[in-house]
Each structure stands twice: as structure tokens, then as C-alpha cells.
Amino acid sequence: THTHTTHGGMSRYGRVDGRQAEERTEDMMRMENDQRLGQLHSQVSFLKGLTRDIQKTVNDDNVILDGMGGDMGDTNSLLGGTFKRLTDMTNTPNSRLTCYLVGFICLAFFIMYSLMSG
């Protein structure tokens, strides 16, 4: 003779079974959360690495651009100085004649080069 104690229409065994099912559900949810947390960790690590790579590329490009800016500044000042000297030279009458002569000689060499190579 085995009697079951009932409470609110549910046996003592029913409450135990319900609790076990609840615990199993909670365990499954914990496992799923752990898996998703692992996936999220992997994605964050990937994004960190990508961000570091982008930062390194940007820094390298900035170094190159800084060097080019300095070279451009040097070239600009060199060309500016040359242009100023040419302007000063062409303002005097004897120098103007010399410039025409140099231009004519350059043109003559260019024509001869074109005729010989073509």
C-alpha cells in the first residue's frame, strides 16, 4: 500500500519531475548562452585584430604622406627659386637675348632628335 500525498492536485512526484524539467531547461539555456558567448568572444577578437591592422595601415600611410609633403615643399621652394632667378635674368636686356639663344638651341636639338629617332 503506497499512498501519494497530493497537494493542489499534483503528487509529490509530479513536483519533483517539474523541478527536474526546469533544471534541465535552465542547464540547456546556460549551455546555449555559453556557446553564444564563445561566438561573441571570437567575433570581438576578430574585430580587435582588424582594428589593429587598420590602425597600422593608417599610421604607415601617414608616415608616407608626411614624407611626400616634405618632398613637395622642398620641390616647390626649389622651383620657386628657379623661377625667380629666371624672371630676374629675363628682365635685363642682355640676359633676354641669352634666353632666346638657349631656347633656340633647345628647340634645334629637339627637332634633330625627333628627325633622327622617327
Side-chain angles (χ1 to χ4, degrees):
T1 66
H2 204 308
T3 60
H4 295 133
T5 308
T6 61
H7 181 48
M10 185 179 284
S11 72
R12 179 176 63 164
Y13 297 117
R15 281 194 304 263
V16 170
D17 289 344
R19 242 185 279 138
Q20 286 176 348
E22 237 178 72
E23 288 174 3
R24 274 188 253 130
T25 303
E26 286 177 7
D27 288 342
M28 287 174 50
M29 291 176 79
R30 278 191 198 103
M31 286 177 24
E32 186 177 336
N33 281 342
D34 289 344
Q35 287 175 345
R36 289 188 181 194
L37 188 61
Q39 291 171 349
L40 185 61
H41 178 71
S42 297
Q43 290 173 347
V44 167
S45 296
F46 172 75
L47 289 175
K48 264 186 181 178
L50 187 62
T51 302
R52 286 186 186 129
D53 290 345
I54 291 171
Q55 182 180 12
K56 183 183 180 322
T57 302
V58 167
N59 289 339
D60 292 346
D61 289 348
N62 282 337
V63 168
I64 291 170
L65 289 174
D66 287 343
M68 287 176 62
D71 291 345
M72 290 294 201
D74 293 344
T75 304
N76 190 22
S77 63
L78 178 67
L79 288 175
T82 303
F83 185 71
K84 183 181 180 320
R85 285 190 290 271
L86 281 174
T87 304
D88 292 344
M89 188 174 81
T90 56
N91 286 335
T92 60
N94 291 338
S95 295
R96 191 173 296 159
L97 183 61
T98 305
C99 284
Y100 289 138
L101 183 60
V102 169
F104 176 74
I105 292 171
C106 288
L107 182 64
F109 276 116
F110 178 72
I111 290 171
M112 286 192 322
Y113 175 77
S114 297
L115 290 175
M116 296 187 97
S117 65

